[in-house]
Amino acid sequence: MLNKVIIMGRLTADPELRQTPSGVSTCQITVAVDRNYTPQGGEKQTDFITVVAWRQTAEFISRYFAKGRMIIVEGGLRTRTYDDKRYPDVRHYVTEVQAENVMFGETKAAAQSGGNYAPQQFAQPQYSQPAPAPQYAQQAQPQQSAPAVSFGDLGDFEEVIGDGDLPF
């Protein structure tokens, strides 16, 4: 069976850390997640998803996140029901994400500058020749040339010249 949820959005309020009677830390937050689809002539729609975190994850959220901060939550979907004490015939159904892993969704500088999310641009890695292996007097190894590598016919491919961004 598989039950995996990954959401990315902004906190709707400051997280509040609570303790169970046995001393276990817990935190319940609501994450506003924009939908990718906007109806023609309509406004952008947002889902407000309840997330529950326990123990160290709850403490991490309450310490480093605040209202408006972008958060990435990885976890599982949980459902539960409870009866309303005021109205005996009313049953409430709750669906929430139980957080297993939480990450920052933006850099600290982006959060302090108004929360505009911009993916980081990373420089292309620079490769150099590996350092030569140490030569030991008692182990003389003959030099071997690298075998020739053939990639076959590359005529079906075209070279993509870009600014470093992935084409998808």
Side-chain angles (χ1 to χ4, degrees):
M1 304 290 176
L2 180 65
N3 181 0
K4 189 62 120 181
V5 174
I6 301 173
I7 60 171
M8 179 176 176
R10 298 196 180 276
L11 270 66
T12 61
D14 288 335
E16 183 179 329
L17 185 66
R18 297 179 182 215
Q19 301 284 328
T20 64
S22 61
V24 178
S25 299
T26 184
C27 181
Q28 181 173 320
I29 58 173
T30 302
V31 180
V33 180
D34 292 335
R35 292 186 183 176
N36 290 335
Y37 174 76
T38 303
Q40 187 175 7
E43 294 182 21
K44 185 188 310 184
Q45 295 181 339
T46 303
D47 292 309
F48 296 91
I49 301 171
T50 303
V51 176
V52 177
W54 294 91
R55 296 176 180 79
Q56 290 87 1
T57 305
E59 293 170 6
F60 177 78
I61 291 172
S62 68
R63 185 175 300 133
Y64 295 108
F65 287 92
K67 179 180 179 179
R69 291 287 309 265
M70 182 77 70
I71 188 170
I72 301 170
V73 178
E74 179 183 355
L77 198 60
R78 302 286 190 266
T79 59
R80 59 185 172 89
T81 61
Y82 65 93
D83 293 326
D84 197 326
K85 293 178 183 177
R86 294 174 290 168
Y87 306 102
D89 295 336
V90 177
R91 175 164 278 178
H92 294 274
Y93 297 88
V94 179
T95 302
E96 54 200 8
V97 174
Q98 185 166 345
E100 296 168 4
N101 193 13
V102 174
M103 295 166 273
F104 296 103
E106 61 190 347
T107 63
K108 190 174 185 179
Q112 291 173 344
S113 69
N116 293 331
Y117 175 72
Q120 291 180 326
Q121 297 294 326
F122 296 102
Q124 293 292 331
Q126 300 296 320
Y127 297 103
S128 62
Q129 293 291 335
Q135 298 294 325
Y136 299 103
Q138 63 267 38
Q139 292 181 341
Q141 297 178 356
Q143 288 283 31
Q144 298 178 2
S145 62
V149 177
S150 174
F151 293 106
D153 181 22
L154 299 177
D156 292 341
F157 296 96
E158 65 179 82
E159 182 178 357
V160 177
I161 300 174
D163 58 354
D165 289 340
L166 295 175
F168 49 86

